[in-house]
Amino acid sequence: MCLKSVFIKSLLLFVLFLIAVYGQFEWQARDAFDEIKIKYDKVNGDNCPIQHVSDLYLPEDTISHKPDIKEININPIFPNRTALLHLHNMAMSRSFFWSYILQSRFIRPAINDTYDPGMMYYFLSTVADVSANPSINASAIYFAPNSSYTSSYRGFFNKTFPRFGPRTFRLDDFNDPIHLQKISTWNTFDVRDLGAHPPESRSKDYTSELYKINEWYKTWLPDDVEGRHDTKTTYQVEIRYVNNTNETYTFHGPPGGDEDPGPIKWTRPYFDCTRSNKWLISAVVPIADIYPRHTQFRHIEYPKYTAIAVLEMDFERIDINQCPKGEGNIGPNHFADTARCKKDTTECEPLHGWGFRRGGYQCRCKPGFRLPNVVRRPYLGEIVERASAEQYYNDYDCLKIGWIQKVPIEWERAPYYIREKYLDLHPEYRNISAGASALHTEFLNIDEALKFIHGVNYRTCKNFHPQDLILRGDVSFGAEEQFENEAKMAVRLANFISAFLQVSDPNEVYSGKRVADKPLTEDQMIGETLAIVLGDTKVWSAATLWERNKFTNRTYFAPYAYKTELNTRKFKVEDLARLNKTHEIYTEKKIFKFLKQRWSTNFDDLETFYLKLQIRQNETGEYLQHYEHYPTSYRAANLKHGHWTQPQFDCDGYVKKWLVTYAAPFFGWDSLKVKLEFKGVVAVSMDMLQLDINQCPDWYYEANAFKNTDKCDQKTSYCVPIMGRGYETGGYKCECLQGYEYPFEDLITYYDGQLVEAEFQNLVEDKKTRYDMFKCRLAGASTLQTSSLLILSLLGFLFVFKYKLR
């Protein structure tokens, strides 16, 4: 009997324990995130071949806030969408390059041969897309049936592959036998031709319905052109060669950004079954060509989409937005309103860097509410999601502000002592230095500095000394982060050239009909350089600068592509080798000499990339075989190996703007194939005025010319940068410090930096201003004030009562 009672008590204790442990999250009802997570976890590499096709896709609205080319350069891109934006730009760049190079034979004399790149060019191009971009998981080019011409087989002129699909995806190399360190470096790639498969195996044919996950193929292909033949968008390039001859070349490409639909189509998230076995999302862009070729009858040769460029990234690395729908979250968004913020007193604000998991938000106080005095920052969503029911219902609230002030309608000039107080805090507004000298004072007057920078243009630049047109490096603070995607464009091309020079040998002899790729050509390098400018709207110019005698049959070679206006379809290319005076030659430029000196002897710091390359066994491609050098590797630079320049206004250059330049080196074997050597530089230039200024305080070692120039009241508030304000003052907000509250009746709970800067300028000019009101109030002051009034009233009552008793 005693044992039985002990057993019953133990059972009851165990049940109570389960209730205590598992019952703490019962306040969290099942929502849209749980449904997607169940579907996400259901599929894996072992069971995906037998899953129904609907189970291999997630709803389209699970990815919200997709970058739209029509919004770029108009509205800011959220920080949690910069990786998706880069995927978008990379796909655009690849489409422009392949469209250009496949049609560039019309620039050259007609011969009984093809000018097309060989197979190795395709493979290494997709490798560079992935190797230079950690956020991109896979890259591929899929040709429509019998649409891909090649120069990789003898006697194959004017013939096509049945299928051709070079694809690279990133392997996780923890247990890779070729990687002895057993450390995941993300630098091992599986490269294969997905067009090589047995003809009877339809499930391996990426054009077939049985392939299951080929939604990307159906977005643009097959392209059935009916009626008019001028259905493809054209782009114009003015090329000036080294011998000063000119060529105006018009080629067909993907749809323009102003067209509907635009050039990019996004797929639904899908499980990459039997390939990388991950959930991916892809950006798909069409590749145009003149098809069919070499018929001698131009009326039956017409522009057509013959292939697609597909770039993919991991679904789990893309942030979700759990906040309710609103102005910044208009939808479609599958995860909208799944945040756990208490809607009575708080509102949701998304954070970036969380990926596909709960908690990527914070709960801010609504207008009219404030944080408790013991809480310093908004409630973090990850903490709220993990809370027990008791914690959730008792905490994570904001307190109502007791007495709310009205914003004054009439303003007044600041009294003399108030104005003097603030001018003492900002002495740079007493003794003003104008022009270029504004950037060289002890205390920087940001308004005068920006007035000088904005005052330099193609008309006025001749009025300044050349030294004044080279700014301090800290004036472009933030360029490395805000122009990171553009820098990766340069790293991608430098990676590709390094890979091609080290892996592809034009003198190699293969068995059968296969021939090695020819050396890189002028058209290919011009096309690659041009594609950077066409693919990324923030890049104003790009250059591929080859070292002397390192490019085939050329002493100097430096294609330089640029544009003169935004949102255009007309571009220009110059071969800088034609400028051969000592002070003009590109090899004497500071950035070229710096990188050449840095990488002249020691290459130990370069990244090593490993390739597991599988190619078709013959021209018809019944099956895959290992490349003769399997596995192989090459060494190349990553983002940190490049160099950022100071902002500079080149009054004699082709792009007359304040440009910030990033350059990345590329390498190849020496003439004996014994060691690596420096071969040249890829450089991209961006407009500095597209940067967001950061005026907030920062660490002493941060090289930011404009830090500590905000006008927030330091006793009651702190400065928080706001993105999207551009190269102007006011790109911040003044948030109340812990223990203080925003006192005004308003739709926001902070002081906007643009308003603060404008009112401070009125103070400096002795105009009507309300700058002295931009302070936060001591939290709970309204309550204290009410209590004080009650005490005074009570004392007054006692005094009167005592007087009457006399």
Side-chain angles (χ1 to χ4, degrees):
M1 191 68 181
C2 184
L3 288 174
K4 187 176 180 180
S5 62
V6 170
F7 175 75
I8 292 173
K9 289 180 181 179
S10 302
L11 185 61
L12 288 173
L13 285 172
F14 180 69
V15 171
L16 288 172
F17 174 77
L18 288 178
I19 293 172
V21 172
Y22 294 104
Q24 65 172 336
F25 301 109
E26 65 184 4
W27 60 272
Q28 298 184 0
R30 179 170 169 173
D31 56 20
F33 179 88
D34 298 311
E35 295 171 4
I36 297 299
K37 190 71 168 72
I38 291 170
K39 193 169 184 179
Y40 180 91
D41 294 334
K42 175 183 175 182
V43 185
N44 55 50
D46 296 326
N47 64 21
C48 70
I50 60 173
Q51 295 281 358
H52 189 270
V53 64
S54 62
D55 292 327
L56 300 179
Y57 288 93
L58 297 178
E60 187 174 359
D61 60 356
T62 51
I63 302 292
S64 61
H65 303 84
K66 298 186 184 78
D68 185 355
I69 194 169
K70 295 176 178 59
E71 296 290 324
I72 297 173
N73 296 320
I74 298 176
N75 294 323
I77 300 295
F78 296 127
N80 61 2
R81 287 298 178 263
T82 51
L84 266 183
L85 175 64
H86 187 52
L87 189 78
H88 172 285
N89 293 341
M90 279 294 301
M92 288 270 293
S93 174
R94 294 298 82 216
S95 172
F96 279 118
F97 169 73
W98 292 113
S99 298
Y100 175 89
I101 204 64
L102 292 176
Q103 300 168 59
S104 66
R105 64 185 182 282
F106 292 112
I107 307 178
R108 300 301 174 195
I111 58 174
N112 193 23
D113 195 1
T114 176
Y115 290 104
D116 288 320
M119 287 195 301
M120 191 59 69
Y121 196 106
Y122 283 95
F123 289 129
L124 296 179
S125 176
T126 60
V127 168
D129 297 341
V130 184
S131 66
N133 302 288
S135 60
I136 295 178
N137 190 65
S139 173
I141 302 158
Y142 298 98
F143 279 89
N146 297 305
S147 297
S148 55
Y149 298 85
T150 184
S151 59
S152 293
Y153 288 94
R154 295 188 188 91
F156 212 66
F157 172 70
N158 207 23
K159 293 182 181 179
T160 57
F161 287 146
R163 305 285 188 277
F164 185 46
R167 182 177 189 260
T168 296
F169 71 84
R170 195 187 308 274
L171 284 174
D172 193 2
D173 58 355
F174 277 113
N175 298 311
D176 201 318
I178 68 168
H179 199 75
L180 301 179
Q181 290 92 332
K182 301 297 182 186
I183 300 173
S184 180
T185 61
W186 291 2
N187 286 352
T188 302
F189 309 104
D190 183 276
V191 191
R192 61 182 64 194
D193 180 2
L194 297 179
H197 59 82
E200 66 278 1
S201 179
R202 293 190 60 202
S203 62
K204 294 184 178 180
D205 181 1
Y206 58 76
T207 68
S208 169
E209 293 287 342
L210 300 178
Y211 201 74
K212 288 187 177 182
I213 57 168
N214 60 350
E215 187 177 276
W216 29 262
Y217 181 83
K218 302 168 190 174
T219 53
W220 295 103
L221 299 177
D223 183 25
D224 298 321
V225 180
E226 296 180 0
R228 295 171 61 96
H229 284 187
D230 56 350
T231 58
K232 301 298 179 280
T233 309
T234 57
Y235 299 85
Q236 189 181 92
V237 185
E238 297 177 18
I239 306 174
R240 192 171 186 182
Y241 295 101
V242 66
N243 57 2
N244 281 322
T245 58
N246 297 330
E247 176 88 40
T248 300
Y249 175 51
T250 302
F251 70 97
H252 301 275
D258 56 337
E259 297 182 50
D260 193 22
I264 295 285
K265 287 187 179 180
W266 299 91
T267 64
R268 293 179 292 169
Y270 57 92
F271 191 82
D272 196 33
C273 186
T274 69
R275 305 199 302 182
S276 61
N277 289 323
K278 293 183 177 181
W279 286 96
L280 304 177
I281 179 175
S282 59
V284 189
V285 193
I287 296 169
D289 192 7
I290 306 296
Y291 185 87
R293 293 188 185 180
H294 311 291
T295 64
Q296 305 302 319
F297 300 102
R298 291 305 302 274
H299 66 283
I300 65 171
E301 296 179 5
Y302 57 92
K304 181 180 179 181
Y305 294 147
T306 59
I308 51 171
V310 181
L311 278 88
E312 302 155 301
M313 69 179 298
D314 284 352
F315 171 74
E316 67 178 3
R317 300 182 64 189
I318 301 174
D319 291 343
I320 60 174
N321 189 342
Q322 294 183 250
C323 296
K325 288 187 177 181
E327 284 294 323
N329 184 22
I330 58 175
N333 181 3
H334 197 84
F335 304 107
D337 207 13
T338 59
R340 309 295 189 187
C341 294
K342 293 188 175 180
K343 294 183 180 180
D344 293 337
T345 62
T346 64
E347 56 189 5
C348 176
E349 179 180 318
L351 302 175
H352 65 277
W354 257 254
F356 178 60
R357 62 189 179 101
R358 285 188 179 276
Y361 59 90
Q362 61 182 9
C363 302
R364 302 177 51 83
C365 293
K366 278 186 171 181
F369 294 86
R370 64 172 177 85
L371 288 169
N373 289 346
V374 295
V375 180
R376 178 171 297 185
R377 292 290 186 267
Y379 301 114
L380 191 62
E382 190 175 28
I383 304 298
V384 177
E385 296 273 358
R386 293 178 179 179
S388 64
E390 182 182 0
Q391 289 175 314
Y392 180 75
Y393 291 119
N394 293 329
D395 296 322
Y396 312 122
D397 279 306
C398 290
L399 306 178
K400 189 171 181 59
I401 295 175
W403 176 56
I404 300 177
Q405 298 174 225
K406 294 282 187 180
V407 178
I409 300 175
E410 292 189 8
W411 308 340
E412 298 177 352
R413 290 173 57 188
Y416 173 78
Y417 68 92
I418 293 290
R419 186 169 179 270
E420 289 298 310
K421 180 181 78 169
Y422 288 115
L423 289 178
D424 283 343
L425 292 174
H426 300 278
E428 64 272 15
Y429 286 88
R430 288 189 184 275
N431 302 315
I432 295 176
S433 298
S437 59
L439 288 163
H440 304 285
T441 57
E442 182 180 0
F443 299 101
L444 181 75
N445 185 323
I446 187 171
D447 293 293
E448 290 299 323
L450 293 183
K451 188 182 295 182
F452 160 69
I453 292 172
H454 288 295
V456 180
N457 54 50
Y458 69 96
R459 295 190 188 93
T460 62
C461 62
K462 294 289 186 183
N463 301 332
F464 296 93
H465 190 278
Q467 286 297 324
D468 293 337
L469 300 180
I470 303 176
L471 302 180
R472 297 159 36 183
D474 57 357
V475 173
S476 61
F477 174 80
E480 295 185 22
E481 179 182 354
Q482 297 176 46
F483 289 149
E484 182 180 358
N485 287 349
E486 288 66 39
K488 287 178 181 177
M489 288 283 193
V491 176
R492 184 255 156 218
L493 181 51
N495 260 253
F496 166 72
I497 299 175
S498 297
F500 194 89
L501 295 179
Q502 296 173 45
V503 175
S504 178
D505 184 359
N507 299 318
E508 191 157 6
V509 178
Y510 302 109
S511 59
K513 295 181 181 179
R514 185 156 64 93
V515 294
D517 275 29
K518 298 173 184 176
L520 295 172
T521 65
E522 288 186 20
D523 286 339
Q524 290 167 358
M525 290 296 95
I526 290 173
E528 290 280 9
T529 309
L530 179 66
I532 296 177
V533 183
L534 272 76
D536 195 319
T537 57
K538 283 189 177 181
V539 176
W540 281 84
S541 69
T544 305
L545 313 176
W546 286 78
E547 173 64 318
R548 178 185 169 93
N549 292 324
K550 300 305 178 187
F551 190 77
T552 308
N553 299 327
R554 290 287 299 273
T555 305
Y556 292 105
F557 181 50
Y560 176 85
Y562 65 100
K563 59 190 176 190
T564 55
E565 58 180 309
L566 202 60
N567 301 325
T568 182
R569 293 182 186 171
K570 295 183 178 180
F571 301 85
K572 298 183 179 182
V573 175
E574 296 263 353
D575 189 347
L576 298 183
R578 68 182 187 81
L579 306 174
N580 52 17
K581 295 180 181 177
T582 304
H583 68 283
E584 292 179 338
I585 191 70
Y586 65 85
T587 54
E588 295 300 314
K589 300 294 183 184
K590 286 178 63 175
I591 192 166
F592 188 93
K593 293 173 71 175
F594 175 86
L595 286 172
K596 180 181 177 181
Q597 183 180 10
R598 163 66 182 87
W599 297 101
S600 58
T601 54
N602 190 346
F603 308 102
D604 292 345
D605 197 36
L606 292 178
E607 292 266 14
T608 303
F609 300 96
Y610 299 93
L611 311 181
K612 295 184 172 182
L613 181 56
Q614 299 182 58
I615 63 174
R616 57 181 60 221
Q617 101 288 357
N618 61 14
E619 54 266 48
T620 54
E622 280 79 16
Y623 59 88
L624 287 172
Q625 67 179 16
H626 285 179
Y627 177 57
E628 278 74 3
H629 306 283
Y630 182 96
T632 187
S633 64
Y634 70 94
R635 306 191 70 191
N638 59 27
L639 193 63
K640 71 177 183 180
H641 295 139
H643 178 63
W644 291 90
T645 66
Q646 297 171 254
Q648 182 173 350
F649 196 101
D650 189 357
C651 211
D652 299 321
Y654 299 105
V655 182
K656 293 178 173 55
K657 292 182 177 292
W658 287 107
L659 296 180
V660 179
T661 302
Y662 172 84
F666 55 87
F667 309 90
W669 297 115
D670 61 6
S671 56
L672 300 177
K673 283 200 169 185
V674 173
K675 63 182 182 68
L676 291 179
E677 65 179 6
F678 173 82
K679 294 288 187 180
V681 162
V682 178
V684 292
S685 298
M686 289 69 66
D687 183 4
M688 181 188 73
L689 301 186
Q690 290 185 296
L691 288 173
D692 288 331
I693 289 179
N694 187 344
Q695 294 181 247
C696 296
D698 209 337
W699 296 103
Y700 67 91
Y701 51 78
E702 289 290 354
N704 178 6
F706 302 122
K707 66 182 176 184
N708 293 315
T709 59
D710 67 283
K711 307 303 187 299
C712 294
D713 180 60
Q714 295 182 1
K715 292 182 179 179
T716 64
S717 62
Y718 63 97
C719 176
V720 179
I722 296 178
M723 62 174 296
R725 297 286 175 90
Y727 212 77
E728 301 284 351
T729 58
Y732 59 89
K733 57 183 177 180
C734 302
E735 292 270 14
C736 294
L737 284 168
Q738 182 181 9
Y740 290 86
E741 63 190 18
Y742 184 77
F744 294 105
E745 184 180 34
D746 207 342
L747 296 177
I748 54 177
T749 58
Y750 56 84
Y751 298 106
D752 190 287
Q754 289 180 334
L755 184 60
V756 172
E757 292 282 342
E759 293 301 322
F760 181 81
Q761 199 62 39
N762 288 339
L763 180 85
V764 172
E765 297 172 5
D766 202 13
K767 297 180 180 177
K768 290 184 177 181
T769 181
R770 51 177 171 159
Y771 177 73
D772 192 44
M773 300 179 61
F774 293 153
K775 301 176 182 178
C776 293
R777 187 177 63 195
L778 192 66
S782 57
T783 308
L784 291 173
Q785 185 177 9
T786 305
S787 302
S788 302
L789 287 172
L790 287 171
I791 292 169
L792 288 172
S793 301
L794 181 61
L795 290 173
F797 175 79
L798 290 173
F799 180 79
V800 172
F801 183 75
K802 183 178 180 182
Y803 178 78
K804 286 187 175 182
L805 287 176
R806 287 183 179 180

